[in-house]
Amino acid sequence: MSWWLVSFRRDGPARYISHLDTMRVVQRTFARAGIELALSQGMRPKPRLSLPLPLPTGAAGLDELAVVEVVEESAAALLPVRLAALRAAAADGLAIERLVIAGERPRPQAAAAAYECRLDAPGPAVDEALAWFAGQPCVSVVRQSPKGRRAIELKEYVCELSASPCDAGTKLAFTLRYGPGGSARVDEVVAALAARLEIEPVVLDLTRVRVTWQGLPSRSFAATDEIAPDGHVRGQRR
Amino acid sequence: MRSLPKESPGENRLQHDLTDLLARVARPGRYVGGEFHARRKPGATPRIVLSYPDVYEIGIANSGLQILYAGLNDATPAAAERAYCPWPDMATLMRARGVPLWSLESGAPVHEAALWGFTLQHELTYTNILEMLDLAGVPLHVAERGEADPIVLGGGPGTANPLPLAPFFDAFFVGEAEGRLAEIVAALEAPTRAQRLGRLGAVPGVWLPHASGGRAVATGKSGATMAGNGRVERQVFMGFAHTSPVTEPLVPLIEGVHDRAVIEVMRGCTAGCRFCQAGMWYRPVRERPVAMVVEAAARALRSTGCDEVSLISLSSCDYGGVREAIAGIRERFPHVRVSLPSLRVDSAAVVLARLGDEQRGSVTLAPEAGTQRLRDAINKRVDEQAFAAAVRGVFGAGYSGLKLYFMVGLPDETDDDVAAIAAMAESALRNAREAAPGRSRISIAVSSFVPKAHTPFERAGFAGEAVIRRRQELLRQRLPRQIRVRFHDVGTSLVEATMAMGGREAGALIEAAWRGGARFDGWSESFDAGIWRRAAAEVGIELGGPAWSSTEALPWRDVDPLVDDGFLRDEGARAVRAETTADCRDGSCTSCGVCGGEIEMELIR
Ligand code: SF4
């Protein structure tokens, strides 16, 4: 058995699926590629597969990560072959980018993630809303969940907010910090700004551009990494 | 929007509109396709759109549409694409923004297709057909359609009585279309709409309800007439046993109602249940060889990545190679579950279920009626001993739950028959507790009998709302508290019966209900009995459907099911006498009239 880190992108039609459906799609991709996933113990064993930072439905993800345990004892030299098989087996909109053998079971946690989306509002109005956000001591939203209501202080989590012109409206870029207490959600950030802009609070063209992880093995990957012919990663290390 | 669908960015005129719509609806994955094994044939003609008139998750799981989709794309020059019924949140937005219904493969408007095929699986999807036509910008009524509109064609078991839908359909294909796809595609090459329809009408199995030249058919109590191109014979695909099942089916990105590979092992069923339309409609039985089934299952499992394969048919326990097929698949894929969609009521069937799957969830058995007399009358040949043995088998094998299916409102049913359902459930509970003390959940689901065309009960009539409600209450009072019971909504059965038994006049009811807001009538959260009552009053129809006397001409008489009318009448008479009829696969032909010429039963042993 081996643990793998799998870097992938979700875009195209696949951006419109939920976190659970993404899990199932990734699992099916492994099965079609002929790579057997290890199963959990118990009455109803489940494949050992996790996507540590769920991607919202409707979002593209350019820097996504899956952690899987495969049945085979992986040899680094075989990874390019496995990668090719996974790429051939991937559904429309799911691009498997890299594989790395992780050694110990990795338990990555997101530290931060950069997002981009579109607001249906003109640039100057969005600039004004961002200035308002920056000038407030706190901007809180109420999150309703089955566990009850909870106030979320957006300014604890949102940073690097910026706006730039785009095709139909204004592109909004921001970073969410993740901590032990979780984080704000993209729709909460957009809802706060939309209220200020007096526009419909709808998240358009959302893309998660980058994720910064904690707890990855030292030999991990980043956007600039490539798999060498021997299966090892070369490039930037975090 | 960056990509949707990515293969045809130039063709996709709807992309930008879609992005905005998709951001505002629940489950946007319903509207984008992207399935593994989706076929895209940009520029190919004719363009055909196939639709299951329900929400995507239901439609994508329909194996009949997968067969036609693969057959048209892989074996004809046509490009077959798909569209499902948008959920009301999406439909509202589409109307508000003027976005017409699109197909998932190219994103192009459905109204630009040459042919739009709907599979008619059950009556409660009929208002969704009108909804889809309207959302696509295709005139509802055939008479209003022009040269640029697609030919709207219906297929599937609903064509057993296509009359309620006749106002909205240019054509119907009656029977199994696999063997006629090339002819249908060729007919679409004619230059004008009228010529295309004319050529379609010459394809065996195609009925044109609006063709002139056919004799007028009296339909419905109202005596309305409708011309057609004459009597049409149900088509039987005799290549079934010699053709591999689909092994590269669409694998959806979002989960459908069934998340598994399916292999159709057998078509047709000759058990002869007298209430069952499929049992009459898909005769004769044709079985695929075990080696073909095992090989196809292996390919389908590899190509889909599924961890379960279902061996489907109307009665898979009766498939002659069921044991070998399960064993063959599990030998090659030990971790894969092999499931059978419905189990015969006997202990041998439970053993088969165990062979295919180590997991012990729950099992479903369908005795259908509470007394031996009534079970004999409906030709459900299950006796008390077999039932008791099956229940003990279920819990003895380690299953934790048992669900029993019954019907109320059957012809000649009495209160005693209904009370006997409770007694049967009670005895099941006793047997279950003996076999597995402490872990025996039993529930029952009770539907209302709806008579269907081309069955021995086609003239039986619907029992009526009052009778059904009274019997439901009677049963509720008699059942032990430990048994959970779920009754099928009587309101939906009333609507179903009206469509199943109705003639052309039922078309006006469908339209009035749709205009009144009826959509997704098969969904309990969407069904609104009030809309249907108002629509029925508006068009002057009594809900529950007409009952046809033995001397009246049936509206669907020009649809030839191949099963003889005399056989159906005989079977109806035997039902009154509570006499059973043997399964003809056991060697005794009961002369239903289907076999003859090239059509014959094909059993593997
Ligand atoms: S004709 Fe005879 S053998 Fe053929 S399906 Fe009918 S009863 Fe069975």
Side-chain angles (χ1 to χ4, degrees):
Chain A
M1 306 264 192
S2 315
W3 286 98
W4 289 1
L5 292 163
V6 184
S7 148
F8 68 96
R9 296 160 69 105
R10 191 185 87 174
D11 201 351
R15 71 187 294 156
Y16 294 103
I17 69 178
S18 67
H19 172 63
L20 284 180
D21 283 327
T22 307
M23 297 263 288
R24 200 175 38 81
V25 167
V26 172
Q27 182 194 329
R28 295 277 188 267
T29 305
F30 272 80
R32 287 194 292 266
I35 304 169
E36 197 179 335
L37 295 178
L39 297 176
S40 62
Q41 306 291 315
M43 284 282 286
R44 291 190 176 266
K46 293 263 181 304
R48 287 199 189 271
L49 160 72
S50 69
L51 308 179
L53 185 62
L55 189 57
T57 303
L62 308 185
D63 187 22
E64 298 304 300
L65 181 68
V67 179
V68 300
E69 189 181 22
V70 296
V71 167
E72 68 179 36
E73 279 306 333
S74 300
L78 273 179
L79 285 194
V81 179
R82 300 286 181 264
L83 183 60
L86 283 168
R87 284 178 174 166
D92 203 1
L94 189 80
I96 310 289
E97 308 249 284
R98 294 175 188 83
L99 300 179
V100 174
I101 300 171
E104 300 267 291
R105 177 179 190 164
R107 298 182 190 276
Q109 287 178 336
Y115 293 90
E116 290 176 2
C117 67
R118 178 167 62 86
L119 291 178
D120 197 3
V126 175
D127 287 341
E128 189 281 326
L130 298 196
W132 164 82
F133 188 91
Q136 297 299 305
C138 58
V139 180
S140 57
V141 294
V142 175
R143 182 181 297 173
Q144 183 81 49
S145 75
K147 291 181 194 158
R149 288 158 69 87
R150 183 182 146 207
I152 304 289
E153 175 42 56
L154 295 182
K155 297 201 66 162
E156 273 181 35
Y157 304 112
V158 183
C159 57
E160 297 170 19
L161 258 171
S162 67
S164 58
C166 72
D167 257 3
T170 304
K171 184 165 91 179
L172 180 73
F174 58 95
T175 296
L176 287 180
R177 284 190 287 256
Y178 294 86
S183 183
R185 293 195 314 236
V186 171
D187 59 312
E188 291 166 342
V189 178
V190 169
L193 294 173
R196 178 72 187 174
L197 287 161
E198 297 183 344
I199 59 172
E200 190 188 358
V202 55
V203 183
L204 298 166
D205 295 348
L206 177 64
T207 300
R208 183 152 74 200
V209 183
R210 219 171 30 258
V211 182
T212 307
W213 296 101
Q214 287 175 334
L216 281 183
S218 60
R219 185 167 60 73
S220 184
F221 43 67
T224 52
D225 291 347
E226 280 178 12
I227 295 179
D230 65 358
H232 285 100
V233 177
R234 60 181 172 221
Q236 181 189 337
R237 291 183 178 191
R238 281 178 282 187
Chain B
M1 160 126 208
R2 288 177 181 79
S3 58
L4 205 194
K6 70 182 179 187
E7 303 294 323
S8 52
E11 288 179 4
N12 199 337
R13 286 152 284 173
L14 295 165
Q15 280 196 0
H16 209 84
D17 290 328
L18 291 196
T19 304
D20 275 16
L21 299 186
L22 294 169
R24 291 171 167 83
V25 296
R27 307 212 77 187
R30 288 168 170 165
Y31 308 104
V32 296
E35 299 89 348
F36 198 71
H37 292 323
R39 276 72 158 176
R40 293 195 187 84
K41 294 167 80 173
T45 57
R47 177 170 165 251
I48 293 174
V49 175
L50 300 174
S51 284
Y52 188 107
D54 207 317
V55 75
Y56 177 88
E57 294 92 312
I58 305 273
I60 192 69
N62 179 258
S63 59
L65 214 65
Q66 296 256 16
I67 292 170
L68 298 178
Y69 180 77
L72 284 165
N73 279 309
D74 301 350
T76 80
E81 306 188 339
R82 291 160 301 127
Y84 302 93
C85 190
W87 197 249
D89 60 346
M90 176 58 101
T92 302
L93 282 172
M94 288 166 69
R95 287 197 172 95
R97 293 169 186 234
V99 176
L101 186 67
W102 63 92
S103 59
L104 300 184
E105 282 75 5
S106 67
V110 171
H111 67 75
E112 293 176 0
L115 182 92
W116 189 359
F118 284 90
T119 179
L120 312 175
Q121 294 292 322
H122 69 89
E123 293 82 356
L124 296 175
T125 62
Y126 288 178
T127 53
N128 287 352
I129 296 171
L130 272 57
E131 175 76 344
M132 293 176 76
L133 290 171
D134 187 62
L135 286 171
V138 174
L140 294 191
H141 300 113
V142 170
E144 293 153 13
R145 288 182 197 145
E147 197 57 45
D149 291 310
I151 288 172
V152 180
L153 179 141
T159 60
N161 177 16
L163 290 166
L165 288 173
F168 319 111
F169 278 78
D170 297 284
F172 293 96
F173 188 93
V174 177
E176 300 161 31
E178 289 113 303
R180 301 288 179 194
L181 296 180
E183 291 163 82
I184 291 171
V185 169
L188 298 175
E189 282 164 11
T192 68
R193 194 171 198 274
Q195 287 170 324
R196 289 191 286 276
L197 272 170
R199 285 181 63 177
L200 267 179
V203 176
V206 173
W207 187 55
L208 305 177
H210 306 274
S212 54
R215 65 191 171 81
V217 181
T219 69
K221 298 285 189 192
S222 62
T225 60
M226 185 175 59
N229 62 333
R231 191 166 169 82
V232 63
E233 248 183 32
R234 176 174 67 89
Q235 297 299 294
V236 176
F237 178 48
M238 284 310 296
F240 175 82
H242 316 283
T243 315
S244 171
V246 176
T247 56
E248 293 190 346
L250 293 157
V251 184
L253 292 173
I254 65 169
E255 195 170 1
V257 286
H258 303 306
D259 184 24
R260 60 200 179 202
V262 297
I263 297 297
E264 190 181 8
V265 294
M266 175 176 87
R267 195 167 290 173
C269 171
T270 41
C273 300
R274 293 180 178 128
F275 56 85
C276 178
Q277 189 180 51
M280 301 293 153
W281 189 249
Y282 289 102
R283 288 177 177 224
V285 166
R286 289 143 287 160
E287 295 183 324
R288 284 186 161 131
V290 172
M292 182 193 281
V293 165
V294 173
E295 184 54 34
R299 284 198 204 175
L301 285 165
R302 281 196 211 101
S303 87
T304 60
C306 289
D307 50 15
E308 178 181 348
V309 60
S310 185
L311 302 183
I312 63 164
S313 75
L314 291 172
S315 174
S316 295
C317 291
D318 292 330
Y319 166 56
V322 63
R323 184 176 284 270
E324 293 90 330
I326 294 172
I329 296 166
R330 299 219 65 196
E331 195 183 315
R332 288 167 75 166
F333 299 89
H335 301 303
V336 156
R337 301 169 62 193
V338 184
S339 58
L340 305 172
S342 59
L343 292 186
R344 216 174 38 209
V345 186
D346 60 39
S347 53
V350 178
V351 172
L352 284 175
R354 281 176 57 198
L355 270 183
D357 184 6
E358 278 89 28
Q359 292 187 15
R360 301 281 183 264
S362 63
V363 159
T364 301
L365 301 174
E368 308 289 7
T371 57
Q372 193 63 53
R373 180 198 68 82
L374 195 54
R375 284 196 298 276
D376 288 347
I378 61 176
N379 206 35
K380 186 90 191 179
R381 297 182 305 278
V382 175
D383 60 30
E384 303 279 340
Q385 290 75 21
F387 176 65
V391 173
R392 282 194 295 270
V394 165
F395 290 101
Y399 289 98
S400 55
L402 172 64
K403 190 172 188 181
L404 300 172
Y405 277 171
F406 291 96
M407 277 188 283
V408 292
L410 284 160
D412 295 329
E413 180 184 83
T414 64
D415 285 359
D416 289 346
D417 294 311
V418 176
I421 294 175
M424 215 166 158
E426 224 173 325
S427 89
L429 197 58
R430 269 196 312 277
N431 279 312
R433 283 174 175 167
E434 274 168 37
R439 108 185 121 66
S440 41
R441 276 182 298 110
I442 294 186
S443 63
I444 71 171
V446 184
S447 62
S448 323
F449 166 70
V450 171
K452 295 285 166 108
H454 309 296
T455 68
F457 292 155
E458 63 185 348
R459 293 173 189 272
F462 182 64
E465 185 173 1
V467 171
I468 299 281
R469 286 199 192 283
R470 195 170 58 74
R471 298 220 162 115
Q472 287 182 345
E473 191 47 41
L474 176 74
L475 184 52
R476 203 192 309 273
Q477 287 168 4
R478 302 272 176 121
L479 277 171
R481 273 203 327 277
Q482 302 89 324
I483 293 180
R484 258 190 329 122
V485 59
R486 195 176 55 80
F487 291 104
H488 193 82
D489 180 65
V490 188
T492 57
S493 302
L494 275 169
V495 172
E496 187 185 342
T498 314
M499 303 297 150
M501 293 286 96
R504 188 200 182 287
E505 73 289 347
L509 174 66
I510 300 171
E511 185 171 344
W514 171 74
R515 289 195 189 283
R519 314 276 190 276
F520 293 99
D521 296 302
W523 293 68
S524 53
E525 69 260 46
S526 305
F527 179 75
D528 184 339
I531 292 176
W532 283 94
R533 286 187 208 289
R534 286 191 290 279
E538 185 186 322
V539 300
I541 283 183
E542 202 177 323
L543 286 180
W548 301 97
S549 75
S550 60
T551 53
E552 277 178 298
L554 294 167
W556 49 85
R557 68 180 178 186
D558 270 5
V559 173
D560 177 1
L562 302 184
V563 173
D564 287 343
D565 190 45
F567 173 79
L568 295 180
R569 284 178 185 266
D570 277 358
E571 282 293 289
R574 290 173 75 83
V576 173
R577 301 193 299 270
E579 286 174 14
T580 60
T581 299
D583 187 334
C584 64
R585 72 180 294 139
D586 301 333
S588 50
C589 172
T590 48
S591 304
C592 75
V594 166
C595 296
E598 288 174 2
I599 299 175
E600 59 182 2
M601 199 150 48
E602 288 190 304
L603 302 180
I604 55 175
R605 61 172 55 92

